[in-house]
Amino acid sequence: MDIKRVATDAVNETIVLNVVHMDYKGQVAKRINEKMPLATVKGFRKGQVPKDLVEKQYGKAIKQEEVKKVVDLALERFVQSERLNLLGTPLAKENENFDWDAEELTFEYEIGLVPNFEIDLEAKNNIVKYIVTADDKLIDGQVERIQKQFGKAIPQDKVEADSDLTGTFTNEEKGISNTTTISVSTFNKKAGDKFIGKKVGDVVTVSTKGLFEDDHQLMDYLKVAHDDVHGLDIEVNFTIEAINGAELAELNQELFDKLFGEGKVASLEDLKAKIKEDAEAQFAQQADQKLLLDVQDFLIESTKFDLPAEFLKKWLQTVGEKKLSAEEAEVEYARSEKGLRFQLIEGKAMAQSNIQITFEDLKEFTSGAIRQQMAQFGQTNPTEEEVQGIVARVLSNQEEVKRLSEQVVAAKLLDLFKEKANPTTKEVTYEEFIAASYGE
């Protein structure tokens, strides 16, 4: 058998396999001999059919099966021996006039190659690493929410400016139907004013555009998907089911102990300090995520390389349970191209910086995540044995291993980007961070 590569360009090639009779005749003859005792042809008893008739009846199908096995094995070994770094898998070129009786059978497979490129993590950029602080407005608002949450609800006949409403947001077209409790003050003033004076059973129609100070609150109160939040401009109905005022809870030691454990918070100043600490820890995670996304966008924009786009579109039509049309594959490729580009850049960055993920890295990361989750449920001092028992169970699940491995990679890349990309540090409030992140 003769196998060769024919380059179309830097990322597209064709593998050509020329198969001769010697490559498959022995296996075909063996299969024919195995078939003879089982063959049935009219006019002959089972097992007594002449060999030439068996070959005539079954030979072509057997030949095609054995040639396919030979080609598949040869193709797999050739890809391995040539150390080809493929995108997708080889695609057989269709040949409607293929002659199975020819002395030499030629098969052609299109392949898409991972492009060769370099990345410069230290290239000049405008990336900002935000330090997000919790200001007095945010902290005071959280104190008030705590007092309301643990205070006494007082039923009201009609809605007032400080009322808490329980009701259901609906929009049939967008499939929105979510029951929630929300304070009138949470809405923007224009929307909030629509509720004043309303009673239980009334329906208030509001626009989602600018409904809240932060559009991300649509995810909390309307259960709108993250990708749909920005720019969403539809009308939703809110059916009022209960109206309550609140007698605020007293900020005393009993409440502090209930919230944070005995003796950990002893005054309003301690409470505000704890709120600030917890909020800024959460903001730091959001700021890191934005930094990672900003670096991704910068690297995708600044790192130029070609992809075997047409090959990948054809390949997308062949994978998955549901085969895609050419038009559907075009849409899917457009949707996934950016992710594919960063996946290649990510791999290159890890290789250039010799970043490797070990099982110990995975165990350590999982252990930290479990401790953090347990703390959220009040288990602040679990034993090492308890934690490692949970780690072992989690890492016995391959889907969890894959998910956590991706998070470990992201964490290592984030550390790398912080070091190499040298972003400008800027301290902002949460409101300023939201504005910088989403232009809101």
Side-chain angles (χ1 to χ4, degrees):
M1 181 187 296
D2 177 57
I3 309 178
K4 61 183 179 181
R5 293 161 55 188
V6 179
T8 304
D9 55 40
V11 291
N12 290 279
E13 292 187 0
T14 299
I15 297 177
V16 182
L17 303 93
N18 293 310
V19 182
V20 296
H21 190 57
M22 291 294 294
D23 294 323
Y24 57 83
K25 73 171 187 176
Q27 193 60 26
V28 170
K30 179 182 176 183
R31 290 277 306 280
I32 292 292
N33 289 334
E34 291 173 350
K35 195 73 176 176
M36 287 185 64
L38 306 173
T40 55
V41 175
K42 191 174 181 180
F44 295 91
R45 285 185 296 175
K46 185 176 181 180
Q48 300 298 316
V49 181
K51 188 172 184 178
D52 59 337
L53 289 181
V54 175
E55 290 178 340
K56 183 177 180 180
Q57 183 167 352
Y58 300 105
K60 185 175 182 179
I62 289 174
K63 176 181 176 180
Q64 291 178 359
E65 289 173 6
E66 293 305 318
V67 169
K68 185 178 185 309
K69 291 178 185 177
V70 168
V71 169
D72 288 348
L73 182 59
L75 181 63
E76 179 182 349
R77 288 177 174 173
F78 183 74
V79 168
Q80 292 174 350
S81 67
E82 293 287 299
R83 296 183 179 178
L84 297 179
N85 201 356
L86 302 184
L87 290 174
T89 52
L91 290 179
K93 282 189 175 182
E94 294 185 8
N95 183 355
E96 295 179 358
N97 300 315
F98 191 85
D99 182 8
W100 280 97
D101 295 323
E103 286 294 317
E104 186 174 272
L105 305 176
T106 300
F107 298 87
E108 295 183 327
Y109 287 84
E110 295 178 75
I111 57 172
L113 301 174
V114 171
N116 288 317
F117 62 92
E118 297 298 328
I119 59 174
D120 184 2
L121 294 174
E122 300 180 41
K124 185 176 180 181
N125 61 69
N126 296 317
I127 299 170
V128 176
K129 181 182 184 299
Y130 290 97
I131 307 297
V132 187
T133 61
D135 59 8
D136 290 342
K137 178 182 176 183
L138 185 146
I139 294 171
D140 290 341
Q142 185 61 26
V143 170
E144 184 178 348
R145 278 190 285 276
I146 288 173
Q147 288 184 278
K148 276 191 172 184
Q149 180 182 351
F150 291 92
K152 181 181 178 182
I154 302 173
Q156 295 177 323
D157 294 330
K158 60 182 181 181
V159 178
E160 298 177 11
D162 61 351
S163 295
D164 291 329
L165 309 178
T166 298
T168 302
F169 282 107
T170 56
N171 178 291
E172 187 174 346
E173 181 182 351
K174 289 290 185 178
I176 295 171
S177 179
N178 187 59
T179 300
T180 188
T181 297
I182 185 170
S183 298
V184 174
S185 59
T186 303
F187 297 109
N188 67 30
K189 187 175 186 310
K190 183 178 178 181
D193 287 347
K194 289 187 175 184
F195 287 87
I196 304 301
K198 300 296 183 183
K199 298 181 178 181
V200 170
D202 287 346
V203 178
V204 180
T205 301
V206 293
S207 171
T208 57
K209 186 176 182 180
L211 183 59
F212 304 113
E213 186 174 319
D214 176 4
D215 278 352
H216 291 86
Q217 290 175 280
L218 294 170
M219 297 165 59
D220 298 324
Y221 293 111
L222 278 70
K223 298 305 178 189
V224 174
H226 181 274
D227 292 343
D228 296 332
V229 165
H230 303 293
L232 183 65
D233 187 5
I234 60 172
E235 288 191 337
V236 291
N237 293 325
F238 184 86
T239 303
I240 300 173
E241 296 162 10
I243 306 168
N244 288 295
E247 181 180 308
L248 299 182
E250 183 181 347
L251 295 173
N252 55 26
Q253 194 62 50
E254 182 182 356
L255 178 60
F256 298 153
D257 290 348
K258 182 184 294 186
L259 287 170
F260 303 107
E262 188 173 348
K264 293 186 177 180
V265 170
S267 65
L268 176 58
E269 289 70 26
D270 288 350
L271 173 62
K272 288 185 175 183
K274 180 64 174 172
I275 290 172
K276 181 178 176 65
E277 177 187 353
D278 292 347
E280 290 181 353
Q282 187 178 47
F283 297 159
Q285 293 179 358
Q286 295 180 39
D288 278 348
Q289 185 62 30
K290 174 169 173 52
L291 175 62
L292 185 60
L293 292 174
D294 287 346
V295 173
Q296 286 180 7
D297 288 341
F298 171 75
L299 289 175
I300 290 170
E301 182 63 30
S302 62
T303 307
K304 304 297 183 184
F305 54 82
D306 292 328
L307 289 172
E310 296 308 312
F311 167 81
L312 289 171
K313 290 172 190 175
K314 285 193 284 187
W315 177 74
L316 284 169
Q317 295 178 59
T318 68
V319 295
E321 294 182 7
K322 178 181 179 294
K323 298 298 184 261
L324 302 181
S325 66
E327 293 76 15
E328 290 171 330
E330 186 88 30
V331 171
E332 176 61 21
Y333 178 77
R335 187 191 66 79
S336 59
E337 180 185 2
K338 183 177 178 181
L340 173 59
R341 285 185 178 276
F342 187 71
Q343 185 179 348
L344 295 174
I345 291 171
E346 180 182 76
K348 178 69 75 171
M350 292 182 68
Q352 282 186 195
S353 303
N354 197 29
I355 293 177
Q356 297 178 341
I357 306 300
T358 67
F359 188 66
E360 287 304 313
D361 291 331
L362 190 57
K363 282 178 64 178
E364 183 179 348
F365 181 87
T366 306
S367 177
I370 288 169
R371 287 182 184 278
Q372 187 177 38
Q373 190 173 30
M374 293 176 78
Q376 291 175 350
F377 289 94
Q379 292 178 267
T380 54
N381 293 302
T383 66
E384 184 65 18
E385 184 179 359
E386 287 175 323
V387 173
Q388 292 309 315
I390 299 172
V391 169
R393 289 198 298 273
V394 170
L395 296 184
S396 67
N397 183 317
Q398 290 303 308
E399 287 298 316
E400 283 297 298
V401 169
K402 180 182 177 183
R403 182 181 68 83
L404 290 165
S405 296
E406 290 172 352
Q407 292 182 23
V408 174
V409 169
K412 284 183 175 283
L413 283 172
L414 181 61
D415 289 340
L416 175 66
F417 294 155
K418 285 178 179 177
E419 175 191 351
K420 299 291 187 181
N422 194 27
T424 302
T425 299
K426 185 176 182 180
E427 186 172 302
V428 295
T429 66
Y430 186 65
E431 287 183 2
E432 291 168 337
F433 175 70
I434 291 297
S437 300
Y438 307 106
E440 297 164 358

